[in-house]
Every structure is written in C-alpha cells, then in structure tokens.
Amino acid sequence: MTTISRRTVLQGMGVSALATALSGLPVLAQDRTAIRIGYAISKTGPNAAGAGISTTPNYLLWVDDVNKAGGITLSKLGVTLPIEVTEYDDRSTAEETVRAIERLATQDNVDLILPTWGTGANLASGPTFDRFGYPQLAGTAVTDMAPDLVKRWKHSFWMLGGGHDYAEALVALLVKQRDAGTINNKVAIASVADGFGIDLSKAATPAFTEAGFELVYDKTYPLGTSDFAPVISEVAGLGVDTFVAFSYPPDTFALTQQSVVANFSPKVFYLGVGTAFPIYPGIAGPNHNGVMGIGGIDPDSEALAAYFERHTALNGQAPDNWASAVTYASLEILAQAIERVGDIDREAISAEISSGEFDTIIGKVKLVDNQLRSLWTVGQWQDGKFVGLAHTERAGAREPVVPKPAWVPAA
Amino acid sequence: MKFVLALVALVALAFVPSFAGPYPLGLGIGVLGYGVLATAWAMFSGPTRYISLATVAFFGLGAYTVAVLSETLPYPVVLFVAAVIGLVVALIVGLATLRLAGIYFVIFTFGLTELVRQLVTYYEVNVTRTLGRYVFLPLGPEHIYWQLLALLAATLGMAYWVRQSRIGLALRVIGDDPVVASHLGIRITRTKLTLFSISCVIMTLAGAIQAPRWTYIEPSIVFNPTTSFLVVIMALLGGPNRLFGPLLGAVPLFLLFEWLSANFPNHYSIILGLLFIAIVFVLPNGVLAAGESLWTRLSRREART
C-alpha cells in the first residue's frame, strides 16, 4: 500500500515536471482572433484586499465594457477583436510578480500586460516590463521617484502621483482654514510605519512646519496595530484642531471607531488609505460625514456616475474613490492608444500613451513626462459622496466642511 | 571521477544563460536560489535535527545590506559586508539560542525573523525615515544566475567537506544524542555554532545576490516567512541528511510550484497545503531515503525468490 502511494507521488512529480517543460514551448501559431491581455494580480496574501478593491474589479469591468462594445479596432489589420485574458496570482510577493510577468511576456506571448496592485510591486516589476518593452500603466503606485523612473524605464507610466502631492495639498488646504480662523495652529500626525505612511509623513512634516503649524504630535505606529486608544488619548489632551493619520485600511477603520468611542472629535479628521473605500460609510455609520482623506472624485461628473453604476452592477461593489477611477482611466488610455496605432505595436502604443490626449472617465487626460498629473489629492465625505476638495490642476469640486460635524456617539 | 563530473556539470550550467530565454533563466534563478537556501539549511539542520525557520531573516538581511550600501560601496565589497553582517548576527543568535532544543528552537527562529524585520523597520522609520529602498545595479538576470551558481557550487563543496570532516561527525552525534556527545568530549555549543554560522552566511549571501532582481526592497518583500517554510519543505522532500538531497527537493518542488501557479492560479494554496501534508506523511525521510529503502526492499525480494 505504502509502496504504491510513494510511486504515485513520484510519478506525479515526474508528470508535473514534464508538463512544466512542455508549457515552456513557445506558442507557434499566432492566429489573431483576440487581443490577448495578461496580468498577475494579488489574489492571496497581504495585498489581496487592496487589489480586490482598486484593481481587479476595474480590469474585469474594462474587459467587459470593451467586449460588450465589440472589442478594440485594429485598423491596420482591418479587424475589431475582443479581449482575451490570461491571469495569474502573484501571491503578493515581488519574486512571483517578476516571474509571472516573464511568463506572460515570453511563454504566453500576450499582447499587453496590466500591472499588479501597490507601490512596491509596481516598482519591483518595472525593470521586467521595460526589458520586454511592454507599457506599464501603474495605476496604484504612489512614488515621488516617478520623474526618475520614467527616465530609467521609458515604457513606464505613473498614474497616482507621489507622497509630496498629497501631503502638500493637504497642508495648503489647512493653511486656508487656519488663516480664515476656523482651526487653530496645532496639528497631530500619526503614521503607519510602512512605505506609504513614511513617504507621506516625510513630505508632510516639513510642509506643516514651513507653513507655520505647530506639530505637537508626530509619531509612527507599527503596521498591524489594532488598539489606538493610547494614541488617541495622548492626542486628545494636546488641544489640536487637526488630526492627520497616514494610515492603512484596517487602521483607518479602527482609528475612526476608537475616536468615536473616546469622543475625540477634532475639527479636521483626516485619514489615509481606506477613507475613500466604498465600505467606509458602512463602517463609520453616520460619523463618516465630514471625515477627510486621501483621494476624492468629482461628484458632478456624469461619466464618473455612469462608471460607478457599471462597476457596482458588474462587481457587486462600488469602486473606491481614489485609485479605482484612475486605474479604469489608465485602461481607457491604453485602449484608445491601441486603436490610434491600429496594430499591436508596443513601441508605438507606448509613444502614443506618452504624447496623446485621451478621453476618460476622469476627463481629458494628457500625461506629463509619462505621469498623470491631474489628480484629486484631498477628499471629504459629504452627503454620502467622497468629494474632491483639492486637485493638482483645477479648483476643488466642493468647499471643505470645517469643522466637521461632531461624532454621533456609538449606540 | 566524481569531481570531474561535478565540474563538467558546473561548466555546462554556466552556459545556460547564453541559450536560454528570459523565462527559463528566471526559473533557473529561482531553482538555484532555493537550491542554495535548502542546501545551506540542511547543512546545519539535517544532522542536528534543529528545524530552523530563520532562513528568511538572514536572506532578508543580505538583501537589505545590498539595498542600503549598493550606492556607496563597490558591489564585491557590499557582498563581503553582507556576509560579515550575516556572520555577526548568526553568532549572536547562535550563542543565545543553540542551547534551546526541539520546539523551543523552532519557535525562537520563527520569532527571530519577525524580530529582525521589526528592527529593520524601526531603524528605517525612525532613523533614516525611508522604508522602501531602491537597488539600481547594472546586473542582469544572467549575472544573478552566475553568482547563484557559484554560490551553490561553494555551498555544495562546503557541505561535502563538512560531511567528511570531524565536525560533521560531531554534529551527527549531537543530533543523535546530545548527552552522549557531551560525554564523548564534543564541545556541543561550539560545534553547533560553527555550522549554524556557515549556514547563515550562505543564506545571507543568497539574499544579497538576489536583491538587484527586485529593484525595490521593503521589509514585507524580503522578510516573507513563506520562504522559510518552503526551504524546510524542500530540504525535507529531498532528504536533509544527504549531500544532494536538499537540491533534489528544491528543483522538482520549485518547478512544481511554478507549474501550479501557471495552471491553477486560484487553487495554488490549497494544492500546496495538501502537498506538504503528503510529503510529511509519505516521504518523512525524503525522496532519496525513500528511493534507497525501496531499492533495498526490492533487491531483498529478488534475493528471496
């Protein structure tokens, strides 16, 4: 009995090794019946939650939208072809992301590759995209390095700005409020000790100081912290009107709930990633109103409203109010660039993305130095919508509500 | 004869990058990387039966060293510094913990990974105020492949030497019965510490060499505990007490993981879990040992008939 199972296991190993070797054979017949798009996305591991909110649903929606409209027209070949998807799980590891892209580019020979979720993973896959000449439209990477990266990797496009954009916009917005006399001069910052929190606090601390704010609290807390009572009770005694947390999703929710419990209700309550998530109002209840955070949308845009509807209908959840629309817009840019080139010529497509102007759900977009510079930076929940208060290129969609309504005590 | 064969194999493998495409080369890097880690792991943990889950702590230290120093020092010096850091940490950790045995050691090494990761995070957050670091070195996949190949050859050579030498024998005695070993006059702690340090330095170098492949490094990327578990399971599959055992575990398992993630992206974790259970139940001593016992049983049966 045991002999048999051992042998079976060994045979299984042999078969799988053989299969791996066979799958290494290149695809010979390249019959073009579809435009083949590949992506490796975090379906498991720590990045799965973020990918499942901002990235994957938009990939699914885009493919659905394009295919329902008949596909993408390749005028030079005289055909309109639907999109066919090859997807992998990168298991939230950089090593797997890199290898999955190598596999997509050289084994599956896909026409185009969509990037994975998150700053680190997009930076880690940059050299691989570049080596194979695939355009990389990073819709969920926040990095101040973008101007340097585009010089290094000509096919990379950075769509979500850098830490400085968000931190400086927030400070500028608060300066106005202070000068108008609505808030005092004291600010408290708590940041998650991880890439995002550090990047933003590094940009925000000098910006606040230069603007003449008094930083009475500026500390980090470890990733994975769930009890914020010590932070909140310390900050509550400092007399600040402005509380800023460069936080991550679980902390963002915990900070909200625990501030309500402690009845710490500063005039400006700003949180990081997660504030813009569609589930935030569900978690914060009536207290979501007036909370500020990173991102934002234009509540008056009809294109965006239609996008929200389609997204909710297909995925069963609304998009987030920051990176989702940008991610979808980056896919629209990609599709339009392909149609203008009229063929799967990745060099030409990259050049078109870099220089062309595109019609997207976030308006007319033209990249500057391979970067999307038209971004919502500060948002606030007002009447059930996470409206943009500050934008890098235009005026805010709404005026900030300061002070925010006092917390409704938890029942 | 054996050495000639080994040399021929090494030279042949060194020419792989000249004809292999990027994807096979990527696989090669993965296989070599895990081959090095599993062999280094088994060098200490095989004979002593101390299951160490600290592999990725040293691996990550190596990667971080490269990330921190790659802009200021020439690359070979960076590798040397990484090895020294690995050695120092291994000595400190070894002195503090090798008196632990059994499950306490396992738990400690697992905790060590988290400790190192948190210390690095703390340092980066509070002192340098950067968390992600960039590694821009002019090293392509083929360079990483060659370095890993050299490291694997050195690791196997070292493992071979340990098996032949007194220290290897001493280590096996300790693994079988520490009380007997101490009565025989073996200096238990020193022996274990020496082997533990060698094994850890190799792991540190493996991390340092692979760092340029990722460009961007942050604690959550390089201190991924899954790596430690994979290394253990690979070494166990192949047989941690044989020279080529860990390598023979690393190669098929790595290819199998790759095949699974290419073909069953949505069921990968489930299949992986079942596989681990199967390995522990069906092949507790590794493929090589199972093969040998099968062989002896077959030949005995033949002798009887």
Side-chain angles (χ1 to χ4, degrees), chain B residues 63-99:
Chain B
Y64 240 95
T65 310
V66 172
V68 173
L69 297 176
S70 66
E71 305 244 303
T72 48
L73 290 175
Y75 184 65
V77 182
V78 175
L79 285 188
F80 178 75
V81 174
V84 171
I85 291 176
L87 180 67
V88 170
V89 175
L91 286 176
I92 296 171
V93 170
L95 277 175
T97 64
L98 286 176
R99 288 163 214 276

Side-chain angles (χ1 to χ4, degrees), chain A residues 156-325:
Chain A
S156 70
F157 303 91
W158 303 88
M159 315 297 284
L160 211 53
H164 278 91
D165 296 324
Y166 299 101
E168 280 159 16
L170 174 65
V171 174
L173 185 140
L174 292 176
V175 164
K176 261 193 207 162
Q177 295 299 321
R178 181 194 58 190
D179 295 349
T182 41
I183 56 171
N184 68 16
N185 205 28
K186 289 181 179 169
V187 174
I189 305 180
S191 327
V192 61
D194 202 57
F196 170 80
I198 300 308
D199 257 22
L200 267 101
S201 79
K202 197 168 73 176
T205 303
F208 272 117
T209 318
E210 272 163 36
F213 279 102
E214 188 189 345
L215 279 176
V216 291
Y217 182 96
D218 183 10
K219 288 185 188 166
T220 60
Y221 62 85
L223 188 65
T225 302
S226 53
D227 179 12
F228 290 95
V231 176
I232 291 166
S233 66
E234 190 180 342
V235 172
L238 296 172
V240 293
D241 277 350
T242 305
F243 177 67
V244 173
F246 297 118
S247 53
Y248 267 157
D251 340 334
T252 301
F253 307 142
L255 275 165
T256 310
Q257 288 165 334
Q258 291 175 21
S259 294
V260 172
V261 169
N263 200 23
F264 167 58
S265 185
K267 290 178 180 164
V268 173
F269 192 72
Y270 174 99
L271 302 170
V273 185
T275 322
F277 284 1
I279 48 173
Y280 187 80
I283 288 166
N287 289 318
H288 74 279
N289 216 9
V291 172
M292 286 191 199
I294 195 163
I297 54 153
D298 181 354
D300 305 319
S301 156
E302 281 171 20
L304 211 55
Y307 157 74
F308 266 61
E309 242 169 60
R310 291 202 309 280
H311 189 291
T312 312
L314 184 78
N315 295 304
Q317 70 187 42
D320 87 70
N321 295 283
W322 179 27
S324 275

Side-chain angles (χ1 to χ4, degrees), chain A residues 42-114:
Chain A
S42 309
K43 294 179 170 200
T44 53
N47 294 347
I53 286 177
S54 303
T55 305
T56 318
N58 284 301
Y59 289 177
L60 297 175
L61 176 64
W62 177 64
V63 172
D64 189 65
D65 281 353
V66 168
N67 286 349
K68 268 187 192 153
I72 295 176
T73 306
L74 301 178
S75 52
K76 282 186 189 158
L77 305 180
V79 284
T80 299
L81 298 174
I83 296 175
E84 196 182 281
V85 170
T86 307
E87 60 165 2
Y88 295 121
D89 178 8
D90 66 27
R91 304 199 291 276
S92 306
T93 65
E95 187 194 341
E96 191 60 33
T97 308
V98 169
R99 214 170 28 251
I101 293 168
E102 285 175 345
R103 196 190 300 136
L104 286 167
T106 65
Q107 301 308 108
D108 303 322
N109 293 311
V110 295
D111 296 319
L112 291 157
I113 301 176
L114 306 182

